[in-house]
Amino acid sequence: DTAVSQTPKYLVTQMGNDKSIKCEQNLGHDTMYWYKQDSKKFLKIMFSYNNKELIINETVPNRFSPKSPDKAHLNLHINSLELGDSAVYFCASSHLDSHEQFFGPGTRLTVL
Amino acid sequence: GNSVTQMEGPVTLSEEAFLTINCTYTATGYPSLFWYVQYPGEGLQLLLKATKADDKGSNKGFEATYRKETTSFHLEKGSVQVSDSAVYFCALINTNAGKSTFGDGTTLTVKP
């Protein structure tokens, strides 16, 4: 069974569109994250979220918004996509006490 | 704030060579330290961790020791294999705040 899954694996879209990436974890973790990895492999945390607190990296544009329908899901919604949003987006989860993060396989977003 | 500085890559080694990837950090409080590995086309996976000073994490022949006096967590392996070719990320998590900080990643290529 996949611990952290993301859909879709690839997403190709036009500038200006709105898109969502879904993430699900079946580990019973209470904290989930979204990361952006650029073409140079630099990894930047965008959000961390548990049922009490959303922590937003202040450099993330407000076109990006996380949505959590329940503890096992944290989806990423992106409005008005721009060329610079092209990257690989990783979802991750952890238990609040251990902090070891488990990563999903990534979603490669290409904005044309 | 917290920061992680990793040795710049790319690093290219011959099979059976000794590997060191340097990692130093700045942090408030008492962070936990991690090394993650990202194989081509995959998400990050935990390689090893250490939660307090002088702890040594080890896995798959890799080792790293949490050195508080030098604020370092260098990754070592005595004899690398072609299958070790990947991107390696050093990370710290401030256990008080649950905030994670990743280094820029070091790409390792091992040639037969």
Side-chain angles (χ1 to χ4, degrees):
Chain A
D1 281 348
T2 304
V4 182
S5 60
Q6 296 179 227
T7 54
K9 189 166 175 63
Y10 300 95
L11 182 55
V12 181
T13 188
Q14 299 288 329
M15 262 195 322
N17 284 350
D18 302 339
K19 289 294 179 187
S20 292
I21 306 172
K22 295 185 177 181
C23 177
E24 176 181 2
Q25 54 95 5
N26 62 6
L27 297 167
H29 287 163
D30 43 34
T31 305
M32 296 183 73
Y33 312 81
W34 276 106
Y35 288 85
K36 178 181 180 181
Q37 186 175 46
D38 65 20
S39 58
K40 294 183 179 178
K41 302 293 187 184
F42 296 151
L43 197 66
K44 185 174 79 171
I45 189 164
M46 302 175 72
F47 306 98
S48 66
Y49 182 78
N50 60 34
N51 58 3
K52 297 177 184 176
E53 188 178 17
L54 171 65
I55 300 173
I56 303 171
N57 184 323
E58 62 275 8
T59 65
V60 174
N62 58 14
R63 299 181 294 103
F64 290 79
S65 56
K67 297 188 191 303
S68 180
D70 56 57
K71 212 169 124 174
H73 297 84
L74 183 67
N75 303 326
L76 181 65
H77 191 75
I78 316 168
N79 288 329
S80 303
L81 278 156
E82 300 178 357
L83 293 177
D85 297 334
S86 296
V88 181
Y89 291 84
F90 288 100
C91 177
S93 70
S94 71
H95 190 274
L96 194 60
D97 292 338
S98 80
H99 301 294
E100 174 186 338
Q101 295 184 22
F102 291 76
F103 283 76
T107 295
R108 182 174 293 278
L109 171 65
T110 304
V111 182
L112 302 175
Chain B
N2 298 335
S3 69
V4 174
T5 303
Q6 277 183 243
M7 182 169 119
E8 273 193 41
V11 174
T12 303
L13 296 172
S14 298
E15 208 164 21
E16 298 184 4
F18 185 86
L19 169 71
T20 300
I21 300 178
N22 290 339
C23 172
T24 57
Y25 68 91
T26 57
T28 56
Y30 303 95
S32 294
L33 302 175
F34 301 80
W35 276 101
Y36 283 84
V37 59
Q38 183 180 24
Y39 298 105
E42 298 183 11
L44 280 72
Q45 52 186 277
L46 180 69
L47 180 59
L48 53 83
K49 68 179 181 183
T51 57
K52 62 183 188 296
D54 299 324
D55 269 2
K56 177 187 280 189
S58 61
N59 185 25
K60 299 182 181 179
F62 291 89
E63 292 183 340
T65 301
Y66 189 144
R67 302 280 188 206
K68 194 169 167 65
E69 63 276 14
T70 54
T71 61
S72 64
F73 193 54
H74 304 322
L75 182 69
E76 296 183 336
K77 186 174 184 181
S79 176
V80 292
Q81 306 299 312
V82 172
S83 57
D84 293 327
S85 298
V87 183
Y88 292 82
F89 292 90
C90 184
L92 73 83
I93 295 177
N94 187 312
T95 52
N96 287 337
K99 294 184 179 179
S100 57
T101 304
F102 281 76
D104 288 343
T106 302
T107 299
L108 170 67
T109 301
V110 180
K111 297 190 172 178

